[in-house]
Amino acid sequence: MLVQRPRLILGNEAIAYGALASGVSVAAGYPGTPSTEIIETLMKFKDVYAEWSSNEKIAFETAYGSAIMGARSLVTMKHVGMNVASDSIMSSSYTGVSGALVIVSAGDPGMWSSQSEQDIRHYGLMGLIPIIEPFDPQSAHDLTMRAFEISSKVGHPVILSTNTRISHVRSSVKIAPFSDPIRGKLNKNPFKYSLVPEVAKKDREEQLERWNKIKEEVSDMIITEGSGEKVVVGVGISYSYVKELVQLLNPHNVKVIGVTSSVPVPESILKELEGADEVLVIEELDPIVENQIKEMVVDNGLHLKIMGKRLTGRVGEMDMDRVARALSEFLNIEVKREVSSERSLEIPSRPPAMCSGCPHRSSFFFLKRGISLGGLKETFYSGDIGCYSLGLLPPFNEQDSLISMGSSMGVANGVYRATSIIPIAIIGDSTFFHSGLAGVANAVFNNLPVLILVLDNRSTAMTGQQPSPSTAIDILDAAKGLGVKYVDVGDPFSPDFSKKIAKAVDWVKKNNGPALVVAKRACALVAIDKVKPTQLAVVDMRKCTGCTICYDHFTCPAILKREDKKAFINPTECIGCGACVPVCPFNAISLQGEKPEGWDEAWTG
């Protein structure tokens, strides 16, 4: 095969280039760390249709619809997105596809930016969908091509399971030449793709036949090095760690096996286990491969001791230290200190905080005032997933729950039904269109007294400012269309925003139904990408009393506390947004410098 010159790229870019080499023509996804850069890379190629869909289920259905027409398609999401898309994914395993369909799910062991770890490989076991696991960026590229090959050959969806360390690490990758996109054509087959009971029963039989073919297709997806009675099986990124440590420790009598098909585990692995006494399986999260090997061993009457999670643990990211400790106990050898991955560099701790100029800070600041002005003595803040999750932290403390995308209104409904306390549901604009609309409909349908606050920063900001449907669809119109009778919009940088909140709260109390207020101002990173800031906020020390409101209660990272308790604004952090100006009750903060052209439009467009 002709191969281009190696390039230093991210694992996610390697996946995108593997898809391009496989003839992908349609790609869809919902942004979510650590999967986002795959679609962003594909969007650079004009002969591939690539979109950000409104949620993972829509993205999957877009890719599936193309694949049943014969196209080669790709869908991307983070691990929790599988929960959103799973209903349709399970059905796709019944129908199969005519072209090729690869589902990329990027996990987040350690929960660096997620609400749970969740091992998505359970979906493979449950839905009879093969799971392919790369172990570095080069294998991510190559195994993406293999996933397309298997999917096209068998006519079945294939899941490529990656994680933060593979998606976001950068290394040299040999990239295969791109292929012409393989598109579909109209191909109606309702007695295959319409899952009424009679069709589903027939498809179930065909699904099991395809599953047997998949077992044959993945039979060679193991890598064996060394020999001995002790066998270490590595899966995904764990395989890379095992290889590196075994090379460093140089133990005797050890065989290393890498498994790149974790569901189903290739049955050919049994031949590699011949002559072994003990096997250690190292994989992140749940014992998916460990349990499959145990099942094979029992079914074949073998006498092998299989170890795994007892030595490696089940929580958090796998790393060199964890693998070293497991190998030390398994091989009964002392692991030298120098192979430890302990950090030698002391990194100062930095608590998570909203950016300078983030409109969510002002929204939370004035929301609390507005609720008080509206006469609501106590409430429950039902939150959602997004940058505004940081409202959980002091000084705001305005996120009492946040469990999944679009959950704010459903949870608020439950809280009200149990307590009769009027809740505040807080949701971002992207999440509103992702899965919040059904919650709005339910609030209208069941007359839920709730203030719905939509934080519209004109983007999916948390994952890198991808465009949101809010730039094309007016949220107030959508809410009115669903029957919300009270809607309003305001600028969270304005003190008047608290009055709008108070008015809406008063309406909810009097009318016993949902009201919706939109806090509309662009993500600060989007605004300064459009227009370079030329003004700064400064503190007039003659007026500053050291009341602490600006740095203790507004907490912009640009505002610092002096030794005399007066405030100081760090010019290297300030972007001149002016959000802090109305926060000071003594008018001690003002903007200096000329407002750049297009500044206001950058924040409100």
Side-chain angles (χ1 to χ4, degrees):
M1 176 190 299
L2 289 174
V3 175
Q4 296 178 350
R5 181 178 298 176
R7 290 179 55 187
L8 189 66
I9 57 174
L10 288 173
N12 278 345
E13 293 173 300
I15 292 170
Y17 290 138
L20 290 166
S22 302
V24 66
S25 62
V26 175
Y30 184 78
T33 305
S35 68
T36 308
E37 294 85 358
I38 303 170
I39 293 294
E40 287 182 336
T41 302
L42 290 172
M43 281 180 165
K44 297 173 184 173
F45 296 86
K46 301 304 180 188
D47 53 352
V48 175
Y49 176 78
E51 73 166 35
W52 288 121
S53 304
S54 55
N55 68 27
E56 296 85 352
K57 185 170 182 288
I58 299 297
F60 172 78
E61 289 157 354
T62 299
Y64 171 76
S66 302
I68 65 174
M69 293 296 107
R72 292 200 169 191
S73 58
L74 180 84
V75 57
T76 72
M77 61 194 75
K78 66 183 297 180
H79 61 297
V80 289
M82 291 289 285
N83 304 330
V84 180
S86 62
D87 198 2
S88 295
I89 289 176
M90 291 298 110
S91 292
S92 75
S93 176
Y94 268 55
T95 66
V97 295
S98 299
L101 173 57
V102 174
I103 306 159
V104 181
S105 174
D108 187 19
M111 296 168 280
W112 297 104
S113 58
S114 308
Q115 65 268 44
S116 67
E117 291 188 317
Q118 182 181 310
D119 197 326
I120 66 97
R121 297 178 299 175
H122 290 289
Y123 282 112
L125 292 171
M126 179 170 66
L128 297 185
I129 301 175
I131 306 280
I132 293 178
E133 286 197 66
F135 49 87
D136 60 16
Q138 183 66 63
S139 66
H141 171 273
D142 298 345
L143 290 174
T144 299
M145 296 176 65
R146 186 70 188 272
F148 271 101
E149 179 187 332
I150 294 172
S151 181
S152 175
K153 189 172 181 181
V154 183
H156 200 77
V158 175
I159 296 173
L160 186 79
S161 174
T162 180
N163 67 11
T164 306
R165 295 296 156 188
I166 295 169
S167 291
H168 284 172
V169 75
R170 195 180 291 273
S171 72
S172 179
V173 175
K174 295 177 182 176
I175 300 169
F178 299 161
S179 299
D180 291 335
I182 298 175
R183 308 184 194 285
K185 60 181 180 180
L186 186 60
N187 175 28
K188 293 186 179 184
N189 193 349
F191 295 101
K192 178 178 176 63
Y193 296 117
S194 301
L195 288 178
V196 295
E198 285 306 311
V199 175
K201 290 172 186 172
K202 177 178 69 70
D203 281 357
R204 173 64 167 162
E205 297 290 337
E206 293 178 0
Q207 177 201 36
L208 294 171
E209 290 175 11
R210 290 196 300 273
W211 188 242
N212 287 330
K213 291 179 183 176
I214 287 167
K215 288 180 178 178
E216 295 173 10
E217 288 296 321
V218 303
S219 62
D220 63 339
M221 296 185 73
I222 56 175
I223 308 160
T224 303
E225 298 168 45
S227 62
E229 296 172 349
K230 296 263 191 178
V231 177
V232 183
V233 176
V235 186
I237 189 71
S238 303
Y239 173 55
S240 292
Y241 298 151
V242 169
K243 279 204 308 178
E244 186 171 339
L245 279 165
V246 167
Q247 189 175 12
L248 282 168
L249 299 170
N250 194 26
H252 299 293
N253 210 24
V254 173
K255 177 187 282 189
V256 174
I257 300 175
V259 173
T260 53
S261 172
S262 53
V263 178
V265 173
E267 293 181 0
S268 56
I269 198 170
L270 285 176
K271 185 172 178 58
E272 299 296 333
L273 298 181
E274 288 178 359
D277 289 334
E278 293 183 318
V279 178
L280 171 62
V281 180
I282 300 183
E283 58 188 320
E284 281 187 320
L285 302 178
D286 295 341
I288 303 292
V289 170
E290 179 186 343
N291 287 346
Q292 288 180 80
I293 293 177
K294 284 177 177 174
E295 183 180 347
M296 287 183 202
V297 167
V298 171
D299 286 349
N300 287 275
L302 302 179
H303 299 284
L304 268 177
K305 186 176 182 181
I306 312 292
M307 288 173 278
K309 288 299 157 188
R310 184 175 69 78
L311 298 187
T312 62
R314 197 163 171 166
V315 178
E317 277 193 299
M318 191 63 68
D319 58 29
M320 294 287 276
D321 278 344
R322 287 176 64 180
V323 176
R325 285 194 294 271
L327 287 177
S328 174
E329 186 169 348
F330 178 66
L331 301 175
N332 194 26
I333 59 174
E334 182 182 355
V335 176
K336 295 179 181 177
R337 185 71 176 169
E338 52 266 29
V339 303
S340 168
S341 64
E342 279 188 7
R343 297 182 182 91
S344 58
L345 181 65
E346 286 297 325
I347 301 173
S349 59
R350 190 183 64 171
M354 298 175 200
C355 306
S356 300
C358 175
H360 297 337
R361 176 181 295 103
S362 298
S363 296
F364 283 122
F365 186 81
F366 290 118
L367 171 64
K368 196 170 280 185
R369 283 189 182 181
I371 290 171
S372 179
L373 282 174
L376 211 57
K377 293 181 179 177
E378 60 179 347
T379 188
F380 182 92
Y381 297 101
S382 185
D384 235 300
I385 305 293
C387 296
Y388 45 95
S389 302
L390 294 171
L392 163 74
L393 302 174
F396 303 112
N397 304 113
E398 288 168 84
Q399 298 278 280
D400 292 316
S401 69
L402 54 99
I403 58 170
S404 65
M405 295 285 284
S407 64
S408 57
M409 280 167 274
V411 172
N413 190 29
V415 169
Y416 175 75
R417 303 307 170 192
T419 66
S420 298
I421 290 173
I422 294 175
I424 312 294
I426 303 170
I427 189 169
D429 56 316
S430 184
T431 311
F432 180 82
F433 287 107
H434 175 283
S435 46
L437 291 168
V440 176
N442 185 68
V444 172
F445 176 56
N446 287 300
N447 253 357
L448 172 65
V450 61
L451 169 61
I452 303 167
L453 175 61
V454 184
L455 304 180
D456 179 7
N457 63 6
R458 326 298 296 143
S459 68
T460 312
M462 192 174 183
T463 50
Q465 299 88 50
Q466 290 80 20
S468 158
S470 64
T471 56
I473 307 168
D474 188 274
I475 292 173
L476 297 185
D477 287 345
K480 284 189 283 189
L482 287 170
V484 180
K485 293 178 180 174
Y486 184 100
V487 296
D488 199 1
V489 62
D491 179 3
F493 277 14
S494 167
D496 289 341
F497 190 69
S498 59
K499 297 176 185 174
K500 287 183 177 286
I501 294 292
K503 190 176 175 184
V505 167
D506 187 58
W507 189 92
V508 172
K509 288 161 61 180
K510 289 178 179 172
N511 295 276
N512 210 36
L516 183 144
V517 175
V518 176
K520 187 174 180 179
R521 183 167 273 256
C523 168
L525 300 180
V526 170
I528 62 176
D529 274 350
K530 292 179 179 176
V531 178
K532 185 180 179 182
T534 56
Q535 53 188 1
L536 293 173
V538 295
V539 179
D540 185 339
M541 295 301 165
R542 295 169 299 176
K543 294 180 179 178
C544 180
T545 65
C547 70
T548 79
I549 289 176
C550 61
Y551 53 77
D552 276 351
H553 299 275
F554 190 63
T555 62
C556 175
I559 306 177
L560 306 175
K561 177 185 177 182
R562 299 199 327 177
E563 288 186 357
D564 61 0
K565 292 188 178 180
K566 290 188 178 184
F568 166 74
I569 297 179
N570 181 352
T572 61
E573 288 278 349
C574 179
I575 64 169
C577 66
C580 56
V581 172
V583 168
C584 178
F586 303 101
N587 298 317
I589 303 177
S590 63
L591 286 173
Q592 286 188 354
E594 190 172 343
K595 183 191 293 185
E597 187 176 349
W599 186 240
D600 291 335
E601 292 77 9
W603 285 96
T604 57

